[in-house]
Amino acid sequence: WDRAIKNHTLLKRADQDSMLAPHVLYDTLSKIYYAYGVAVGRNELDNYITHEGIWPGYRACLTRYTGQDVIIVVLSNNESYAVGTSRALSFIVFGRDVIQPYQHKEIAIDSTALKVYSGTYLSPAPVEFILHDGKLYRHRAGTPDIELKPESPTKFFYTDNSDRQVEFMLDKQGKIEKTYLISNGIRTPLTKQ
């Protein structure tokens, strides 16, 4: 399928160029566009064309990086996050660092130490961390809060069975220097507002 698209054997080049042209901007922060039937954009790796498919019990994602002629195909029969897996595999193919999955273990920490972590962060989309009953949560309007359990005094994992963690780097005075969201093994900086 990918080779047929790339080599213009299914569609004439002019039709295909029109199909893959950016038509509608749907993610203004990441500058991702809808073309006809696919999303097109550019990330830190390359220009890409991608499409995710979801059906009860299944997920799939096909991403082609056009400048490097790299294609990543993820097929899942357990509804795992195919887009995140595709992104992690892309980082591996392009020689970027990826944090390998591991078993998270909750530790006990003093809940008063959590106050420094609450607030709104940008990644570029806003992410809000709140305190409730001495626990840290990821909060997003319209969705249930997700508890973040500590695995170290500065690193927390999401309790929704996703492969996501938040890591805070503190200076000697205990103030936040850097914050990272780790999702599917990819570390993304967060900026506190």
Side-chain angles (χ1 to χ4, degrees), residues 164-182:
R164 293 183 290 175
Q165 304 90 49
V166 179
E167 187 172 20
F168 300 92
M169 305 293 185
L170 304 179
D171 63 17
K172 292 178 182 178
Q173 289 77 37
K175 293 184 180 179
I176 296 173
E177 280 187 330
K178 295 180 182 178
T179 306
Y180 297 97
L181 173 65
I182 303 166

PDB file of all heavy atoms in Angstrom, residues 164-182:
ATOM      1  N   ARG A 164       2.892   6.611  30.899  1.00  0.00           N
ATOM      2  CA  ARG A 164       3.197   8.036  31.059  1.00  0.00           C
ATOM      3  C   ARG A 164       3.703   8.305  32.470  1.00  0.00           C
ATOM      4  O   ARG A 164       3.191   7.757  33.441  1.00  0.00           O
ATOM      5  CB  ARG A 164       1.956   8.896  30.800  1.00  0.00           C
ATOM      6  CG  ARG A 164       1.494   8.853  29.361  1.00  0.00           C
ATOM      7  CD  ARG A 164       0.323   9.761  29.131  1.00  0.00           C
ATOM      8  NE  ARG A 164      -0.871   9.223  29.785  1.00  0.00           N
ATOM      9  CZ  ARG A 164      -2.032   9.854  29.839  1.00  0.00           C
ATOM     10  NH1 ARG A 164      -2.163  11.055  29.305  1.00  0.00           N
ATOM     11  NH2 ARG A 164      -3.077   9.315  30.425  1.00  0.00           N
ATOM     12  N   GLN A 165       4.699   9.180  32.526  1.00  0.00           N
ATOM     13  CA  GLN A 165       5.236   9.633  33.798  1.00  0.00           C
ATOM     14  C   GLN A 165       5.489  11.135  33.701  1.00  0.00           C
ATOM     15  O   GLN A 165       5.601  11.683  32.614  1.00  0.00           O
ATOM     16  CB  GLN A 165       6.566   8.944  34.153  1.00  0.00           C
ATOM     17  CG  GLN A 165       6.534   7.435  34.178  1.00  0.00           C
ATOM     18  CD  GLN A 165       6.875   6.844  32.838  1.00  0.00           C
ATOM     19  OE1 GLN A 165       7.861   7.210  32.211  1.00  0.00           O
ATOM     20  NE2 GLN A 165       6.053   5.933  32.352  1.00  0.00           N
ATOM     21  N   VAL A 166       5.588  11.768  34.866  1.00  0.00           N
ATOM     22  CA  VAL A 166       5.987  13.163  34.955  1.00  0.00           C
ATOM     23  C   VAL A 166       7.212  13.201  35.855  1.00  0.00           C
ATOM     24  O   VAL A 166       7.225  12.603  36.929  1.00  0.00           O
ATOM     25  CB  VAL A 166       4.870  14.048  35.558  1.00  0.00           C
ATOM     26  CG1 VAL A 166       5.336  15.485  35.666  1.00  0.00           C
ATOM     27  CG2 VAL A 166       3.616  13.952  34.729  1.00  0.00           C
ATOM     28  N   GLU A 167       8.258  13.886  35.386  1.00  0.00           N
ATOM     29  CA  GLU A 167       9.502  13.976  36.154  1.00  0.00           C
ATOM     30  C   GLU A 167       9.842  15.446  36.371  1.00  0.00           C
ATOM     31  O   GLU A 167       9.846  16.233  35.425  1.00  0.00           O
ATOM     32  CB  GLU A 167      10.628  13.272  35.404  1.00  0.00           C
ATOM     33  CG  GLU A 167      11.898  13.178  36.180  1.00  0.00           C
ATOM     34  CD  GLU A 167      12.934  12.313  35.489  1.00  0.00           C
ATOM     35  OE1 GLU A 167      12.842  12.086  34.261  1.00  0.00           O
ATOM     36  OE2 GLU A 167      13.847  11.865  36.192  1.00  0.00           O
ATOM     37  N   PHE A 168      10.110  15.792  37.620  1.00  0.00           N
ATOM     38  CA  PHE A 168      10.457  17.161  37.994  1.00  0.00           C
ATOM     39  C   PHE A 168      11.927  17.201  38.387  1.00  0.00           C
ATOM     40  O   PHE A 168      12.410  16.328  39.110  1.00  0.00           O
ATOM     41  CB  PHE A 168       9.605  17.624  39.183  1.00  0.00           C
ATOM     42  CG  PHE A 168       8.127  17.608  38.912  1.00  0.00           C
ATOM     43  CD1 PHE A 168       7.362  16.491  39.217  1.00  0.00           C
ATOM     44  CD2 PHE A 168       7.505  18.702  38.342  1.00  0.00           C
ATOM     45  CE1 PHE A 168       5.996  16.475  38.972  1.00  0.00           C
ATOM     46  CE2 PHE A 168       6.137  18.688  38.085  1.00  0.00           C
ATOM     47  CZ  PHE A 168       5.380  17.574  38.406  1.00  0.00           C
ATOM     48  N   MET A 169      12.647  18.198  37.926  1.00  0.00           N
ATOM     49  CA  MET A 169      14.029  18.439  38.324  1.00  0.00           C
ATOM     50  C   MET A 169      14.016  19.662  39.232  1.00  0.00           C
ATOM     51  O   MET A 169      13.546  20.726  38.814  1.00  0.00           O
ATOM     52  CB  MET A 169      14.927  18.698  37.115  1.00  0.00           C
ATOM     53  CG  MET A 169      14.882  17.626  36.071  1.00  0.00           C
ATOM     54  SD  MET A 169      15.588  16.108  36.674  1.00  0.00           S
ATOM     55  CE  MET A 169      15.533  15.105  35.223  1.00  0.00           C
ATOM     56  N   LEU A 170      14.537  19.509  40.454  1.00  0.00           N
ATOM     57  CA  LEU A 170      14.510  20.600  41.425  1.00  0.00           C
ATOM     58  C   LEU A 170      15.906  21.165  41.634  1.00  0.00           C
ATOM     59  O   LEU A 170      16.904  20.440  41.551  1.00  0.00           O
ATOM     60  CB  LEU A 170      13.967  20.090  42.765  1.00  0.00           C
ATOM     61  CG  LEU A 170      12.590  19.427  42.740  1.00  0.00           C
ATOM     62  CD1 LEU A 170      12.202  18.961  44.136  1.00  0.00           C
ATOM     63  CD2 LEU A 170      11.539  20.357  42.169  1.00  0.00           C
ATOM     64  N   ASP A 171      15.971  22.472  41.936  1.00  0.00           N
ATOM     65  CA  ASP A 171      17.256  23.071  42.277  1.00  0.00           C
ATOM     66  C   ASP A 171      17.532  22.846  43.767  1.00  0.00           C
ATOM     67  O   ASP A 171      16.747  22.189  44.468  1.00  0.00           O
ATOM     68  CB  ASP A 171      17.296  24.557  41.902  1.00  0.00           C
ATOM     69  CG  ASP A 171      16.290  25.403  42.667  1.00  0.00           C
ATOM     70  OD1 ASP A 171      15.763  24.957  43.714  1.00  0.00           O
ATOM     71  OD2 ASP A 171      16.032  26.547  42.224  1.00  0.00           O
ATOM     72  N   LYS A 172      18.629  23.383  44.278  1.00  0.00           N
ATOM     73  CA  LYS A 172      19.014  23.164  45.672  1.00  0.00           C
ATOM     74  C   LYS A 172      18.026  23.769  46.665  1.00  0.00           C
ATOM     75  O   LYS A 172      17.951  23.352  47.811  1.00  0.00           O
ATOM     76  CB  LYS A 172      20.416  23.710  45.919  1.00  0.00           C
ATOM     77  CG  LYS A 172      21.480  22.927  45.196  1.00  0.00           C
ATOM     78  CD  LYS A 172      22.857  23.498  45.418  1.00  0.00           C
ATOM     79  CE  LYS A 172      23.860  22.687  44.619  1.00  0.00           C
ATOM     80  NZ  LYS A 172      25.209  23.199  44.737  1.00  0.00           N
ATOM     81  N   GLN A 173      17.259  24.756  46.230  1.00  0.00           N
ATOM     82  CA  GLN A 173      16.259  25.383  47.092  1.00  0.00           C
ATOM     83  C   GLN A 173      14.906  24.662  47.012  1.00  0.00           C
ATOM     84  O   GLN A 173      13.945  25.078  47.653  1.00  0.00           O
ATOM     85  CB  GLN A 173      16.059  26.866  46.726  1.00  0.00           C
ATOM     86  CG  GLN A 173      17.227  27.766  47.095  1.00  0.00           C
ATOM     87  CD  GLN A 173      18.394  27.619  46.121  1.00  0.00           C
ATOM     88  OE1 GLN A 173      18.208  27.447  44.920  1.00  0.00           O
ATOM     89  NE2 GLN A 173      19.604  27.658  46.656  1.00  0.00           N
ATOM     90  N   GLY A 174      14.817  23.605  46.215  1.00  0.00           N
ATOM     91  CA  GLY A 174      13.575  22.853  46.085  1.00  0.00           C
ATOM     92  C   GLY A 174      12.589  23.443  45.097  1.00  0.00           C
ATOM     93  O   GLY A 174      11.429  23.051  45.066  1.00  0.00           O
ATOM     94  N   LYS A 175      13.037  24.366  44.248  1.00  0.00           N
ATOM     95  CA  LYS A 175      12.171  24.950  43.221  1.00  0.00           C
ATOM     96  C   LYS A 175      12.357  24.173  41.913  1.00  0.00           C
ATOM     97  O   LYS A 175      13.442  23.675  41.621  1.00  0.00           O
ATOM     98  CB  LYS A 175      12.502  26.424  43.011  1.00  0.00           C
ATOM     99  CG  LYS A 175      12.170  27.271  44.220  1.00  0.00           C
ATOM    100  CD  LYS A 175      12.413  28.731  43.950  1.00  0.00           C
ATOM    101  CE  LYS A 175      12.063  29.530  45.199  1.00  0.00           C
ATOM    102  NZ  LYS A 175      12.296  30.932  45.035  1.00  0.00           N
ATOM    103  N   ILE A 176      11.296  24.137  41.128  1.00  0.00           N
ATOM    104  CA  ILE A 176      11.331  23.383  39.876  1.00  0.00           C
ATOM    105  C   ILE A 176      12.231  24.079  38.859  1.00  0.00           C
ATOM    106  O   ILE A 176      12.037  25.244  38.544  1.00  0.00           O
ATOM    107  CB  ILE A 176       9.917  23.219  39.302  1.00  0.00           C
ATOM    108  CG1 ILE A 176       9.050  22.392  40.252  1.00  0.00           C
ATOM    109  CG2 ILE A 176       9.965  22.580  37.919  1.00  0.00           C
ATOM    110  CD1 ILE A 176       7.600  22.312  39.845  1.00  0.00           C
ATOM    111  N   GLU A 177      13.223  23.346  38.361  1.00  0.00           N
ATOM    112  CA  GLU A 177      14.080  23.833  37.280  1.00  0.00           C
ATOM    113  C   GLU A 177      13.551  23.379  35.925  1.00  0.00           C
ATOM    114  O   GLU A 177      13.488  24.152  34.984  1.00  0.00           O
ATOM    115  CB  GLU A 177      15.503  23.296  37.442  1.00  0.00           C
ATOM    116  CG  GLU A 177      16.341  24.030  38.428  1.00  0.00           C
ATOM    117  CD  GLU A 177      17.787  23.543  38.410  1.00  0.00           C
ATOM    118  OE1 GLU A 177      18.044  22.355  38.100  1.00  0.00           O
ATOM    119  OE2 GLU A 177      18.662  24.361  38.699  1.00  0.00           O
ATOM    120  N   LYS A 178      13.212  22.093  35.841  1.00  0.00           N
ATOM    121  CA  LYS A 178      12.710  21.511  34.596  1.00  0.00           C
ATOM    122  C   LYS A 178      11.646  20.479  34.932  1.00  0.00           C
ATOM    123  O   LYS A 178      11.665  19.879  36.001  1.00  0.00           O
ATOM    124  CB  LYS A 178      13.840  20.823  33.821  1.00  0.00           C
ATOM    125  CG  LYS A 178      14.915  21.762  33.332  1.00  0.00           C
ATOM    126  CD  LYS A 178      15.973  21.017  32.581  1.00  0.00           C
ATOM    127  CE  LYS A 178      17.071  21.986  32.128  1.00  0.00           C
ATOM    128  NZ  LYS A 178      18.151  21.309  31.426  1.00  0.00           N
ATOM    129  N   THR A 179      10.737  20.296  33.986  1.00  0.00           N
ATOM    130  CA  THR A 179       9.694  19.290  34.118  1.00  0.00           C
ATOM    131  C   THR A 179       9.566  18.566  32.786  1.00  0.00           C
ATOM    132  O   THR A 179       9.646  19.191  31.731  1.00  0.00           O
ATOM    133  CB  THR A 179       8.346  19.934  34.495  1.00  0.00           C
ATOM    134  OG1 THR A 179       8.526  20.729  35.662  1.00  0.00           O
ATOM    135  CG2 THR A 179       7.285  18.888  34.755  1.00  0.00           C
ATOM    136  N   TYR A 180       9.366  17.254  32.858  1.00  0.00           N
ATOM    137  CA  TYR A 180       9.230  16.451  31.650  1.00  0.00           C
ATOM    138  C   TYR A 180       8.004  15.565  31.737  1.00  0.00           C
ATOM    139  O   TYR A 180       7.723  14.980  32.781  1.00  0.00           O
ATOM    140  CB  TYR A 180      10.450  15.552  31.437  1.00  0.00           C
ATOM    141  CG  TYR A 180      11.723  16.309  31.232  1.00  0.00           C
ATOM    142  CD1 TYR A 180      12.592  16.524  32.295  1.00  0.00           C
ATOM    143  CD2 TYR A 180      12.060  16.817  29.990  1.00  0.00           C
ATOM    144  CE1 TYR A 180      13.775  17.234  32.117  1.00  0.00           C
ATOM    145  CE2 TYR A 180      13.242  17.525  29.805  1.00  0.00           C
ATOM    146  CZ  TYR A 180      14.090  17.728  30.873  1.00  0.00           C
ATOM    147  OH  TYR A 180      15.248  18.424  30.690  1.00  0.00           O
ATOM    148  N   LEU A 181       7.286  15.453  30.631  1.00  0.00           N
ATOM    149  CA  LEU A 181       6.266  14.434  30.461  1.00  0.00           C
ATOM    150  C   LEU A 181       6.929  13.314  29.675  1.00  0.00           C
ATOM    151  O   LEU A 181       7.533  13.568  28.624  1.00  0.00           O
ATOM    152  CB  LEU A 181       5.061  14.983  29.695  1.00  0.00           C
ATOM    153  CG  LEU A 181       3.996  13.951  29.321  1.00  0.00           C
ATOM    154  CD1 LEU A 181       3.333  13.379  30.570  1.00  0.00           C
ATOM    155  CD2 LEU A 181       2.967  14.564  28.390  1.00  0.00           C
ATOM    156  N   ILE A 182       6.837  12.111  30.185  1.00  0.00           N
ATOM    157  CA  ILE A 182       7.385  10.946  29.485  1.00  0.00           C
ATOM    158  C   ILE A 182       6.186  10.123  29.029  1.00  0.00           C
ATOM    159  O   ILE A 182       5.431   9.619  29.856  1.00  0.00           O
ATOM    160  CB  ILE A 182       8.315  10.134  30.391  1.00  0.00           C
ATOM    161  CG1 ILE A 182       9.443  11.020  30.904  1.00  0.00           C
ATOM    162  CG2 ILE A 182       8.855   8.912  29.646  1.00  0.00           C
ATOM    163  CD1 ILE A 182      10.218  10.439  32.061  1.00  0.00           C
TER     164      ILE A 182
END
